[in-house]
Amino acid sequence: MATTSKQYKAIGEDLWKGRTEKINAELFALTYGALVVQLVQDYEDYAAVNAALDAMGHAIGARLVEDFLARSALARCADFRETGEVVAKVGFKSFLNISPGVTHSAPPPPPPPPSTGGGKAPSTAGGAAAAASPPGSFFTLTFDENPLAEFVELPDAALAGGLWYSNVLCGVVRGALEMVRPSASRPAPVAVLIYATRAFFCAQIQMQVEAHFVSDVLRGDDATEMRVRLVKYLEEELPAGDD
């Protein structure tokens, strides 16, 4: 039976309350703010700062996902829509104690294939998962609260320069989704789990996504929204040296 959005919310609550080490929220926000200020001073270019925050987040997400999977014991998501629910209801809740709203959208349907003169219709590549969530599918996360942005007011130069203050979160989402995902149908034995530390499970699925903010209350917008778009499913393979 598929897990419902309400059940995912309960899982996220349980992880936050009982299985997550916590730090002072004010210290967390001020430390992140100091990091952004330092990057601005180092790069003197807001586009470069955005890229640096995204890269930092990608590295963080790639590491956090293993801890997340170990603590949540969630099975593989059936499609990109379910991935969005897990990211919003479980991922953000378990680490930041926030539950952004999530809305889902699909790409426009492709044009019909040309007639083959009565022959068989061309097959569709990509498998069941790709068929359920084709490249171009996306979800939008709407943040009613953002612990990174507490006590923050962007100067005019940052607004004009295009700074996305919380861009590290985009990198975290990208890094996590590009890493391994567990498979409910092929559980790995304990010996493999110990040996394949980078693989985490024998079976895996990875997603290449694009993640970026489309609006931010710090920039004068009505809401803070992040868009996550599926680019493609990556090949299922163990990292080099783990076979």
Side-chain angles (χ1 to χ4, degrees):
M1 180 181 296
T3 305
T4 66
S5 179
K6 188 174 182 180
Q7 289 172 319
Y8 280 133
K9 185 175 181 180
I11 293 171
E13 290 277 0
D14 176 66
L15 291 176
W16 170 255
K17 290 179 179 178
R19 310 185 197 180
T20 300
E21 294 185 13
K22 303 171 180 65
I23 65 171
N24 180 272
E26 181 175 343
L27 174 62
F28 177 67
L30 293 176
T31 301
Y32 180 75
L35 169 65
V36 176
V37 169
Q38 186 61 55
L39 290 175
V40 171
Q41 294 174 349
D42 290 345
Y43 288 102
E44 298 182 346
D45 178 84
Y46 290 108
V49 173
N50 290 337
L53 290 172
D54 181 81
M56 289 180 181
H58 187 279
I60 293 170
R63 290 182 176 273
L64 284 182
V65 70
E66 293 190 3
D67 174 67
F68 172 74
L69 294 175
R71 293 190 296 122
S72 66
L74 290 173
R76 173 182 296 182
C77 294
D79 52 28
F80 198 59
R81 171 180 288 268
E82 187 177 6
T83 298
E85 294 292 331
V86 172
V87 169
K89 304 295 194 308
V90 188
F92 275 100
K93 182 64 179 181
S94 63
F95 288 109
L96 293 178
N97 194 28
I98 60 175
S99 297
V102 57
T103 55
H104 304 274
S105 299
S115 173
T116 57
K120 293 183 178 179
S123 61
T124 301
S133 298
S137 301
F138 66 88
F139 57 84
T140 302
L141 303 174
T142 302
F143 297 83
D144 294 326
E145 50 185 331
N146 179 3
L148 296 181
E150 295 290 335
F151 321 113
V152 176
E153 183 176 344
L154 295 182
D156 292 340
L159 294 173
L163 175 65
W164 292 102
Y165 182 81
S166 303
N167 213 45
V168 68
L169 297 179
C170 296
V172 169
V173 171
R174 285 199 310 109
L177 294 183
E178 287 178 8
M179 291 302 292
V180 296
R181 303 305 307 273
S183 170
S185 59
R186 291 166 57 190
V190 174
V192 174
L193 287 175
I194 295 174
Y195 173 71
T197 53
R198 283 184 297 155
F200 196 71
F201 283 91
C202 282
Q204 59 177 316
I205 184 169
Q206 299 165 289
M207 304 176 193
Q208 181 181 342
V209 302
E210 294 175 350
H212 64 279
F213 281 101
V214 294
S215 62
D216 191 342
V217 293
L218 293 180
R219 298 177 55 81
D221 299 313
D222 293 334
T224 298
E225 295 181 321
M226 179 197 299
R227 184 151 302 156
V228 182
R229 186 179 73 87
L230 175 63
V231 176
K232 63 179 179 179
Y233 290 95
L234 304 177
E235 293 295 327
E236 296 196 57
E237 58 183 11
L238 289 174
D242 284 341
D243 52 2

